[in-house]
Amino acid sequence: MKRILMLALSLVLILATLVGCGKDERILYNVDLSKHIKVGDYKGVEVDTNSDEYKTQYQTEIDNDVIGNELYNELKEGTVQDGDITNIDYVGKKDGVAFEGGTADGYELEIGSNSFIDGFEDGLIGVEVGSTVDLNLKFPENYGNEELNGAAVVFTVTVNSVKRAMEPKEAYKELGFKTLKAYELDLKNRAASACVINKLTEDAKIIKYSEKDVDLLYNQEHSQMETYYSAYYGMTLESILSQSGMTEEDFKKQVLENSTYPNSKAQMVLYYIFDKEGMSVTKDEINAKIKEIVEKNEGATTDTVKEYYGEYYFEYLVVSEKVSDFLCENAKVK
């Protein structure tokens, strides 16, 4: 029996060598991470399911499922609630004259996202679907547009329709779970592993960042922001920065401090554990993730999702899932 097990193990190792992405073939963190980050004991981390942190994370997992899988019920009647995604037409006027950039038709706005100036989203709560309302608002003094800084304006808004997130009792079937209980167990496991990762990341000590990886992450974030401003505002990122009085150098510093470095730290924790536990990722697993995302985004192709998310992103998803499962299995959940 021992001989058979050893032969089987040898075969597994050979197959892993043939089809897996070795460390040298990986896109992210092809470095000795023990020289870049100190991670505490990641086995047996305690998770209290009665804590506010866990409850918040549990709800976050539900929200992510809803957003990632477009799990909404479209309402043609009723009133707008916090958290709804509204389809609206709006016209913004200053002194009775429409101002540039203040008009849109069929715009999808999530209530509570704080995407618009103060009072806009709150002003839509309780509004009947199909009705029109005038919102008397004021732009911030430091809005970044000389014409609108501190200006009193009126937005005339028509609520065309509302999309409301499905509750877990509806969503589980759409997500492929046979029972609500099975889905709730999956949510519990994901929330628990997320809590463990958050704790490990918070407690981890950076020795030095891998500048190659930081550059890769920053460049992709920069590209995504350019795509966003072009698609939703018809403006270049350069124009946005110019209007706000921010230089490219200031912008990069802000993004690095607020996003790139924190994201890199969290990723290094995962890749550190991934390497410590001798895990591997295969090209088939990466391609499966790409296919999954293409199928979720109507009109997307393999090339477009690679361009938008970056080649590394799909590898990271596989690494993240494997480490999350491992941490959950080894956590002390109470």
Side-chain angles (χ1 to χ4, degrees):
M1 178 64 74
K2 185 176 180 180
R3 174 175 160 74
I4 294 172
L5 288 174
M6 289 301 292
L7 285 172
L9 179 59
S10 298
L11 179 58
V12 169
L13 293 173
I14 291 170
L15 288 173
T17 303
L18 291 174
V19 303
C21 291
K23 195 169 181 181
D24 291 340
E25 298 175 31
R26 250 182 17 211
I27 299 174
L28 288 176
Y29 306 107
N30 283 308
V31 294
D32 181 354
L33 281 169
S34 65
K35 296 180 179 179
H36 288 261
I37 192 168
K38 290 184 178 180
V39 181
D41 188 0
Y42 52 81
K43 295 180 182 179
V45 178
E46 293 187 354
V47 178
D48 182 0
T49 56
N50 290 314
S51 67
D52 290 340
E53 180 190 4
Y54 172 84
K55 291 175 182 177
T56 299
Q57 191 60 53
Y58 189 91
Q59 183 59 49
T60 297
E61 297 302 326
I62 293 174
D63 295 341
N64 288 342
D65 284 345
V66 169
I67 295 168
N69 295 280
E70 288 286 318
L71 300 179
Y72 299 97
N73 292 315
E74 187 161 351
L75 309 179
K76 297 293 185 181
E77 57 183 23
T79 58
V80 176
Q81 296 180 10
D82 190 22
D84 286 346
I85 296 179
T86 57
N87 182 290
I88 58 175
D89 301 335
Y90 63 86
V91 178
K93 294 181 179 181
K94 176 187 174 186
D95 299 325
V97 179
F99 55 84
E100 185 178 355
T103 300
D105 291 329
Y107 187 91
E108 287 205 338
L109 172 66
E110 180 182 352
I111 305 302
S113 64
N114 297 319
S115 303
F116 280 38
I117 62 174
D118 286 351
F120 191 102
E121 293 168 38
D122 287 346
L124 295 181
I125 294 176
V127 174
E128 289 277 349
V129 176
S131 64
T132 301
V133 63
D134 285 336
L135 304 176
N136 294 285
L137 305 175
K138 188 176 180 180
F139 275 91
E141 295 291 343
N142 60 346
Y143 180 66
N145 182 317
E146 188 173 341
E147 179 190 358
L148 296 175
N149 287 342
V153 296
V154 178
F155 280 97
T156 300
V157 187
T158 299
V159 178
N160 301 316
S161 63
V162 165
K163 291 194 298 186
R164 187 164 297 159
M166 290 184 184
E167 297 291 333
K169 62 184 178 182
E170 300 175 272
Y172 80 88
K173 293 178 182 178
E174 301 292 331
L175 292 167
F177 290 91
K178 292 183 178 180
T179 64
L180 175 59
K181 187 175 181 180
Y183 178 45
E184 289 174 338
L185 177 60
D186 181 71
L187 288 170
K188 179 181 178 181
N189 289 340
R190 281 190 278 148
S193 61
C195 287
V196 172
I197 292 168
N198 290 341
K199 178 172 174 51
L200 292 173
T201 302
E202 184 179 345
D203 294 344
K205 305 297 181 186
I206 293 290
I207 301 170
K208 60 180 179 178
Y209 285 99
S210 169
E211 289 305 320
K212 176 185 175 184
D213 294 291
V214 165
D215 287 343
L216 180 64
L217 297 178
Y218 171 76
N219 289 335
Q220 195 61 41
E221 286 185 86
H222 189 283
S223 174
Q224 288 175 352
M225 289 182 192
E226 286 183 323
T227 300
Y228 173 79
Y229 285 118
S230 175
Y232 289 96
Y233 297 98
M235 299 176 68
T236 63
L237 179 57
E238 185 179 1
S239 298
I240 294 289
L241 295 180
S242 177
Q243 283 189 9
S244 64
M246 184 180 291
T247 66
E248 180 77 29
E249 185 178 345
D250 291 336
F251 171 77
K252 182 174 183 178
K253 182 179 179 181
Q254 190 177 92
V255 173
L256 285 172
E257 290 178 356
N258 296 331
S259 180
T260 311
Y261 282 133
N263 287 339
S264 182
K265 182 181 181 182
Q267 289 177 357
M268 282 199 288
V269 169
L270 294 175
Y271 274 79
Y272 175 90
I273 297 170
F274 188 83
D275 289 341
K276 278 286 186 181
E277 295 302 318
M279 299 179 188
S280 64
V281 53
T282 69
K283 291 179 180 178
D284 284 346
E285 289 170 328
I286 293 172
N287 289 334
K289 281 296 170 193
I290 295 172
K291 182 180 178 183
E292 182 181 317
I293 291 176
V294 168
E295 290 175 349
K296 284 182 180 179
N297 292 274
E298 186 177 349
T301 66
T302 297
D303 289 339
T304 57
V305 297
K306 281 184 177 181
E307 181 181 356
Y308 181 77
Y309 290 103
E311 292 273 358
Y312 70 85
Y313 179 70
F314 312 100
E315 170 194 289
Y316 166 71
L317 286 180
V318 177
V319 169
S320 177
E321 284 187 8
K322 291 190 174 187
V323 174
S324 294
D325 289 344
F326 173 83
L327 291 175
C328 183
E329 290 170 3
N330 288 274
K332 294 179 179 178
V333 183
K334 58 180 183 178

